Amino acid sequence: MATLEELTDRIRAAAASGEALATSIRIDLKGEGVIHIARGRVTNDDDPADLVVTVALKDLTALGRGELDATRAMMTGRLKLSDMGLAMKLRPQIQSLFSKAA
């Protein structure tokens, strides 16, 4: 399993190679740290964001690899979203970002 630093570096590289998101996302890794993505910049700062995704590090890695279904993860409480409407709107970009980072 990737460490927080490794995953942050992967997401940073994926964000740099793709289209920058117009909104900010904070991934809360349930006590293992945070990853903040805003306008192509990726940090581990616990800054406010338009969308907060709460997920364990191992589950985030599994989501990126396609080993865990996002809908099932939400239904079982393994994935929580602060704004479902925004998450649905950003779904293609988020999936692309996470799949490149896996």
Side-chain angles (χ1 to χ4, degrees):
M1 181 172 65
T3 66
L4 174 62
E5 293 79 21
E6 292 169 337
L7 190 56
T8 301
D9 287 341
R10 290 179 194 166
I11 291 177
R12 187 175 289 121
S17 68
E19 182 180 324
L21 295 171
T23 59
S24 58
I25 301 172
R26 185 178 73 228
I27 305 167
D28 179 342
L29 297 170
K30 296 184 175 182
E32 296 181 69
V34 297
I35 300 172
H36 189 270
I37 307 160
R39 295 172 297 285
R41 185 170 173 259
V42 180
T43 68
N44 294 114
D45 299 334
D46 193 10
D47 292 334
D50 300 314
L51 175 63
V52 178
V53 178
T54 305
V55 62
L57 182 59
K58 67 177 182 163
D59 290 335
L60 179 62
T61 302
L63 284 165
R65 291 183 179 156
E67 298 167 355
L68 177 61
D69 177 68
T71 303
R72 184 176 184 85
M74 286 185 349
M75 290 174 55
T76 59
R78 293 169 68 179
L79 172 68
K80 295 181 183 175
L81 303 167
S82 65
D83 185 331
M84 178 63 85
L86 180 57
M88 294 305 292
K89 180 180 172 186
L90 297 174
R91 186 176 181 177
Q93 294 95 336
I94 293 171
Q95 285 181 326
S96 174
L97 186 67
F98 292 165
S99 67
K100 291 177 187 174

